[in-house]
Amino acid sequence: MTDVAHRPRGPLAASGRVTTAAAPLRGRAAELALLDEHLARLADGVGFVWLIEADPGLGKSRLLRQVQVRAHAAGFAVGHGAADPGEAAVELAVLFDALFGGTEPVLKRAALPPAPTSRERRYWLIQDIEALLEQVALRRPVVLCLDDVQWADGGSLAALRLLPARLACMPVGWVLAFRPVDRDGDAGRAISAAAEAATTATTTTTTTTTTLRRLEASAVAEVAADMLGATPDPDLLDLAESARGNPFQLTELLGGLRDEQLIQFDAGRVLLVESRLPERVKGSMRRRLGRLTATARQIAAVASCLGRRFTLSQLACVLGEPPSALIDGLAELIGTGLIIEDADALRFSHDLNREAVRASLPRTTLPALDRQVAAALLAAGAMPVEVATQLAASAAPGDEVAIATLMKASDAISDSDPGRAADLARRALDLTTRQHQLRGPLIARTAVLLHAAARSKEAKAFADGALGQALPPDQEAEVRLSIASLFAISPEVRAASCRSALALDGLPPALRARLLAQLFHNLVVAVRPEEARQLAPEVSAAIASSDDRAAPLTFELGQASLDYMAGHFEASLARVDTFLQRSSDPGEGSRERLARHLRCGILVVIDRFDEALTAAADGVSSAQQARQAWALHLFQRHLGRQYLQRGQLADAAAVLEGDFGADDAHLVVSVVDAAAVVALGRVALHTSDHRQAELTGSIAQVMLTSGVPGVERHAAWLLALQAMAQGDPAGARRRLATLGEAERLSVFPLFPLDPADDPQLVRIAIASGDTELAESVTRAARHRSQLNPGTTGLAAGAAHAGGLLDADTEQLAAAAVMLATGPRRLALASALEDLGGAHLLAGRADDAVAAFDGALRHYAECGARWDAGRVRSRLRRLGVRRRLAAERRPTAGWAAMTDAELAVVRLAADGLTNKEIAERLYISAHTVSGHLRHAFEKLAVHSRVALTRLAAEHDRT
């Protein structure tokens, strides 16, 4: 992360020569009352998000100034930042202004840990900022004002999508001001996401949207009286109507009338001498500048290219003059009100004035002037990323300095903002000639970055059109191998990249071996096992004929997953253990983390739950220490699935909730993510969480179009479960056949596998009259059990499926007995419920009641409200009413919380941040947030402040 060194920062100053910060804010009584309401709630520990939308000149920046003044007066920590269109490439620029700028910064820059040099840099920076803001907010409320969000950089927009929601329970107020934006654009989506921070049921964080309107006539009269120091006469007010209630245009009009002596003062009144518009209003900016000296005009033109704020030294540097030579011209511009002094810098009195100055310049001169300014700033020591936007817009083909600078800027932000970095690299590429020495590296960089930014369609079109034109085959193959190794993109895209590379001529044996091994692995994780098996002999031969060390490891990891899919779990575990012994990746490399994650999944299937839980917790802790977000998500999602299988529904929800949103559904391209979506959807069904069920269902609909077989099968399974939960077995079967009538027989086994799924699918098949499907699933379950003798979960799943298929109470009872010895409580409850149904069909009502009683008890202990209600209804139909101790457990208050929630709440009440709690408990900060959300619901509190008070009261009783 680089500071914007060439442009000093400071607190927001007066908005103009004639409109000072001390002047009252007229015509905004409702907005000021809302501000006072927000600040009062903030003092009580409740945060807010305030969106202020306004056309240019309507006073959003002045309203933000009032927010700052009143929040400062209340003793709050206050930050302000204003986005600049010239800083689009500067990562987190406007947010860093708000956090670290000004004379009393909200945060100290030294407190921010060093950012990792990885593609996940932005993720960890935002995590660190969240933790620091928590620390401040635990001491006093925080108000962050961000102006002109429509121009915010990608990093700041990413932070706005995340931080307001993550800090919703803290006394943090967000005030976001912006011009009208496209709600489907990056800024619009970030603003919408910030607004949705208040939608969770666990907080009373408020979201308010204010659209500033034009001033009423009474407010216009008050502004005139404030500016001119006297009561305006009716003629003057009539002329003021030409401003149409726009505060900026009104102050320009009144200032012009005064400067050109078109008004006079008489006994406390101000009279209009001549009813005409002053020259500064009726003339264009070009005519207005024409009345200035040549030096002043030149300064204004250069200043308009320097950005929102600039210094005298920068002006002198660009103009090649000593600062003393510019003083008179600058004073002239300040005298006209075009430019004002702002702490240790200068700026235009309004963005509209800056835009008008640029518009007044001949269009043909602007690129050259921007280019001159960029060159001068670079010569003065500016970082490449700070002038990248200007260079991208102004450089001409063949501009070597621009090419090199844009490439350096792309390098600087490639880890944190690969999308913007790709755009800069592509612009640099546009400036090169076909024979340019940097053309190949730029093409390679752009292709990889586009994929890293999840712009796969664009990336494929670019790579197919550009790579072969500039790179020799071996270099092109290396680029395509890099793309094929990006875990964040679809395995189908990765496999296609491998195939394109393998089609090239003259590849070295080692490179060919790596490509084949990577293709094999990508086919496996896409859940295309047959294609992978067909490829395996060719991969083995390529590895044998090369001395490459990476290819055998990649191949071994893929084979371990292939064994898993075939049900050979012990063999899969042996391969993984061998891999981990042979792997020499330093510092827990990506392949090693993937292997450890696979190992966790195998351990669960073969009933080594405690060992799997410890391994997953170690994976979370290790990923946090190494600051690897992708690995952290990997192990978190495994934990969520494992908690579901153990019947710890609250803990599963805490881990998985908030990880997936409808807008990001297209990014679910891996089976790990897909399985986590299914797990979250199943938790929602068990707990009757209709909002979460609807969300996961909409995500699953998008997953069906992913093109990745493994992802699409998970989507079909979740949608089938939801249809079945709605009492529609025929609809559930249609969902299973979404991928094709014959494909319904191939949905299972899912990867990763839950042995308790087989009976659920058999139940759907029987209810919908699909005997073929029921028999196919049961055969497969029995085969897996036979391949893994002694594995209780697999044996129980096979017995449960067979019992349903054959209506056999003995098999169902055997399944229940086996499951009773392990932690799969939901599977046990399901087996008991089906056993009760089978007894009932056989006319054994007493046995049915006993089985239903057991099912009800286990469902209730798991918190599976929907299932418990269903079983209770079945009991009532038998004339039996049950109220269990587990069901009488409070749903609110301290007694309602799980052990995990209590542990988190205690540490939160002691003043630890989410990050500190996560480190103490060896869980992720995301999981901490989930536990706190549930605790807030049960304790009926809405902020960390209220939680601390309640915990103190509870400890005293």
Side-chain angles (χ1 to χ4, degrees):
M1 185 70 205
T2 59
D3 285 322
V4 188
H6 74 278
R7 192 167 63 78
R9 309 290 179 182
L12 190 67
S15 60
R17 183 171 65 90
V18 294
T19 305
T20 66
L25 186 59
R26 301 296 188 182
R28 305 300 183 204
E31 288 79 5
L32 293 176
L34 180 60
L35 167 60
D36 289 339
E37 180 182 329
H38 280 319
L39 296 181
R41 290 166 60 85
L42 197 64
D44 288 335
V46 180
F48 67 88
V49 176
W50 189 10
L51 309 178
I52 302 173
E53 182 176 11
D55 288 324
L58 289 184
K60 59 181 175 60
S61 297
R62 281 217 65 207
L63 181 55
L64 254 64
R65 177 58 181 165
Q66 281 297 310
V67 175
Q68 297 167 69
V69 169
R70 298 191 184 197
H72 268 302
F76 300 164
V78 183
H80 171 269
D84 191 314
E87 292 183 350
V90 182
E91 179 76 350
L92 290 163
V94 63
L95 183 62
F96 270 47
D97 275 359
L99 296 174
F100 304 110
T103 56
E104 298 180 39
V106 175
L107 304 178
K108 294 181 180 179
R109 183 61 185 271
L112 190 65
T117 55
S118 71
R119 188 151 286 133
E120 298 165 344
R121 175 190 183 105
R122 177 188 290 175
Y123 175 90
W124 293 107
L125 273 172
I126 292 175
Q127 291 271 74
D128 292 335
I129 289 169
E130 177 188 351
L132 292 175
L133 278 173
E134 274 191 83
Q135 290 175 354
V136 174
L138 287 171
R139 297 192 299 270
R140 59 172 176 160
V142 177
V143 176
L144 296 176
C145 302
L146 302 185
D147 201 359
D148 286 319
V149 173
Q150 75 278 357
W151 290 326
D153 60 276
S156 295
L157 293 177
L160 289 178
R161 286 192 291 269
L162 298 172
L163 290 179
R166 291 181 180 177
L167 296 167
C169 298
M170 304 296 295
V172 179
W174 300 84
V175 187
L176 311 180
F178 49 93
R179 297 182 184 182
V181 296
D182 176 6
R183 292 303 170 132
D184 292 327
D186 290 342
R189 287 196 296 270
I191 290 167
S192 297
E196 290 170 4
T199 61
T200 63
T202 55
T203 74
T204 55
T205 298
T206 57
T207 294
T208 308
T209 300
T210 296
T211 301
L212 293 185
R213 305 298 180 187
R214 295 179 181 274
L215 298 180
E216 300 290 340
S218 58
V220 170
E222 290 172 335
V223 171
D226 292 336
M227 283 191 63
L228 303 177
T231 302
D233 72 353
D235 290 338
L236 177 55
L237 291 178
D238 287 343
L239 183 61
E241 287 184 3
S242 64
R244 298 182 179 178
N246 184 296
F248 168 74
Q249 294 172 359
L250 177 61
T251 55
E252 283 286 288
L253 169 65
L254 296 173
L257 292 171
R258 183 181 60 189
D259 293 348
E260 297 177 27
Q261 298 181 347
L262 297 177
I263 55 175
Q264 66 180 22
F265 298 87
D266 180 25
R269 291 176 61 80
V270 56
L271 309 176
L272 186 64
V273 174
E274 183 179 349
S275 183
R276 68 173 176 83
L277 291 175
E279 291 299 317
R280 67 189 279 181
V281 174
K282 73 177 183 180
S284 68
M285 181 60 73
R286 187 174 298 169
R287 288 196 294 273
R288 185 173 176 182
L289 292 173
R291 293 191 291 273
L292 303 177
T293 64
T295 300
R297 291 197 301 272
Q298 195 174 30
I299 291 173
V302 170
S304 72
C305 299
L306 280 168
R308 171 175 275 117
R309 301 177 72 242
F310 51 90
T311 66
L312 178 59
S313 296
Q314 289 172 340
L315 287 170
C317 178
V318 175
L319 292 169
E321 298 282 355
S324 59
L326 306 180
I327 291 176
D328 289 342
L330 191 56
E332 189 178 355
L333 288 168
I334 292 173
T336 66
L338 275 179
I339 288 177
I340 61 174
E341 295 179 278
D342 184 358
D344 55 352
L346 301 159
R347 68 177 176 87
F348 281 90
S349 56
H350 199 283
D351 283 334
L352 288 176
N353 279 332
R354 175 175 177 257
E355 293 164 15
V357 169
R358 285 184 65 82
S360 72
L361 302 173
R363 284 187 300 173
T364 55
T365 66
L366 275 175
L369 188 55
D370 282 332
R371 182 65 183 82
Q372 178 187 349
V373 168
L377 293 176
L378 281 172
M383 301 295 291
V385 72
E386 296 166 358
V387 297
T389 301
Q390 283 175 306
L391 282 177
S394 62
D399 188 331
E400 292 296 332
V401 173
I403 294 169
T405 303
L406 288 171
M407 194 168 182
K408 291 177 182 177
S410 176
D411 271 342
I413 63 172
S414 62
D415 292 331
S416 57
D417 193 349
R420 181 62 182 164
D423 292 338
L424 293 179
R426 197 165 188 172
R427 177 58 180 142
L429 177 63
D430 291 341
L431 300 177
T432 62
T433 60
R434 186 167 292 275
Q435 289 74 37
H436 198 285
Q437 61 180 355
L438 291 179
R439 189 169 179 83
L442 282 168
I443 290 174
R445 178 191 309 277
T446 303
V448 173
L449 288 171
L450 284 171
H451 278 290
R455 291 157 59 178
S456 295
K457 289 184 179 178
E458 183 183 352
K460 183 180 186 304
F462 173 82
D464 291 344
L467 276 175
Q469 298 177 15
L471 298 180
D474 58 336
Q475 292 182 28
E476 180 182 347
E478 289 282 5
V479 173
R480 293 191 182 276
L481 178 60
S482 297
I483 294 169
S485 304
L486 292 172
F487 298 125
I489 65 177
S490 165
E492 295 291 314
V493 173
R494 284 151 38 198
S497 186
C498 286
R499 290 192 176 101
S500 295
L502 287 165
L504 299 171
D505 295 328
L507 297 182
L511 180 54
R512 182 174 179 79
R514 287 201 303 274
L515 283 163
L516 283 167
Q518 192 63 55
L519 174 58
F520 176 84
H521 185 267
N522 289 336
L523 289 172
V524 171
V525 297
V527 193
R528 295 187 180 275
E530 292 307 318
E531 293 179 46
R533 291 189 184 98
Q534 291 173 11
L535 183 66
E538 186 178 356
V539 181
S540 296
I543 289 174
S545 62
S546 78
D547 58 356
D548 187 75
R549 298 178 60 187
L553 291 172
T554 303
F555 186 42
E556 186 77 11
L557 188 56
Q559 286 181 309
S561 297
L562 204 57
D563 284 341
Y564 179 107
M565 291 179 192
H568 299 289
F569 300 112
E570 293 292 348
S572 179
L573 182 62
R575 281 190 188 275
V576 170
D577 288 340
T578 300
F579 171 93
L580 291 172
Q581 292 170 3
R582 293 171 54 198
S583 176
S584 59
D585 283 342
E588 293 274 318
S590 58
R591 281 195 304 266
E592 186 168 343
R593 290 192 188 277
L594 287 173
R596 293 188 184 281
H597 175 261
L598 176 59
R599 189 174 191 275
C600 288
I602 300 168
L603 292 174
V604 169
V605 173
I606 61 176
D607 299 330
R608 290 160 63 176
F609 269 91
D610 291 341
E611 189 178 344
L613 200 61
T614 300
D618 288 345
V620 168
S621 178
S622 174
Q624 285 180 309
Q625 291 174 8
R627 295 172 78 83
Q628 290 189 337
W630 72 270
L632 179 61
H633 293 154
L634 203 67
F635 288 104
Q636 275 184 167
R637 285 160 192 179
H638 168 81
L639 281 172
R641 295 195 308 273
Q642 187 174 162
Y643 286 142
L644 169 63
Q645 293 185 46
R646 296 170 74 105
Q648 297 172 235
L649 296 178
D651 292 339
V655 172
L656 297 173
E657 283 176 352
D659 245 9
F660 304 99
D663 290 341
D664 299 325
H666 65 286
L667 300 178
V668 180
V669 293
S670 75
V671 289
V672 172
D673 290 347
V677 171
V678 173
L680 181 56
R682 293 183 65 176
V683 170
L685 290 177
H686 287 303
T687 59
S688 296
D689 185 340
H690 302 297
R691 185 185 67 84
Q692 202 68 258
E694 183 178 352
L695 171 63
T696 52
S698 65
I699 294 173
Q701 293 282 5
V702 178
M703 288 162 53
L704 282 174
T705 65
S706 69
V708 182
V711 171
E712 293 176 349
R713 289 168 186 168
H714 277 288
W717 177 229
L718 176 57
L719 293 170
L721 288 171
Q722 291 182 337
M724 193 67 177
Q726 294 166 3
D728 184 10
R733 186 191 181 282
R734 284 195 301 273
R735 289 299 190 182
L736 293 169
T738 299
L739 307 177
E741 182 67 18
E743 289 298 315
R744 82 192 193 288
L745 302 176
S746 303
V747 170
F748 273 32
L750 291 171
F751 176 56
L753 172 76
D754 180 351
D757 279 348
D758 292 315
Q760 311 304 321
L761 182 52
V762 172
R763 187 182 299 115
I764 292 173
I766 292 173
S768 62
D770 191 341
T771 304
E772 181 186 17
L773 176 59
E775 291 175 346
S776 172
V777 174
T778 302
R779 278 196 305 272
R782 287 169 173 165
H783 179 63
R784 276 193 298 276
S785 179
Q786 291 166 1
L787 290 175
N788 300 272
T791 303
T792 302
L794 294 172
H800 190 171
L804 284 169
L805 178 65
D806 303 330
D808 184 347
T809 55
E810 290 187 7
Q811 290 188 71
L812 292 170
V817 169
M818 286 186 280
L819 289 167
T821 64
R824 300 181 193 272
R825 291 188 294 166
L826 282 174
L828 171 58
S830 178
L832 287 170
E833 183 181 359
D834 286 331
L835 176 60
H839 279 313
L840 197 59
L841 286 173
R844 294 187 290 269
D846 290 344
D847 291 339
V849 169
F852 286 148
D853 275 344
L856 177 60
R857 183 176 66 257
H858 290 296
Y859 281 139
E861 288 173 349
C862 294
R865 293 187 294 273
W866 175 66
D867 306 272
R870 182 183 62 250
V871 174
R872 191 182 296 105
S873 295
R874 301 183 78 164
L875 283 167
R876 279 200 299 269
R877 288 196 293 272
L878 294 172
V880 177
R881 294 184 178 275
R882 290 285 188 258
R883 286 187 59 82
L884 303 178
E887 290 185 295
R888 291 196 295 271
R889 179 179 179 176
T891 58
W894 292 94
M897 288 195 289
T898 67
D899 291 342
E901 290 164 357
L902 280 170
V904 168
V905 165
R906 291 297 182 192
L907 294 174
D910 287 342
L912 274 68
T913 67
N914 286 8
K915 181 180 179 182
E916 292 167 337
I917 296 171
E919 292 171 349
R920 185 78 62 89
L921 298 179
Y922 301 100
I923 57 179
S924 71
H926 174 83
T927 301
V928 172
S929 295
H931 285 312
L932 284 175
R933 282 196 304 272
H934 295 162
F936 287 164
E937 286 180 349
K938 294 172 181 177
L939 297 177
V941 297
H942 308 291
S943 69
R944 289 282 287 271
V945 174
L947 175 67
T948 302
R949 293 173 186 158
L950 188 63
E953 293 172 2
H954 182 261
D955 288 343
R956 288 195 296 268
T957 60

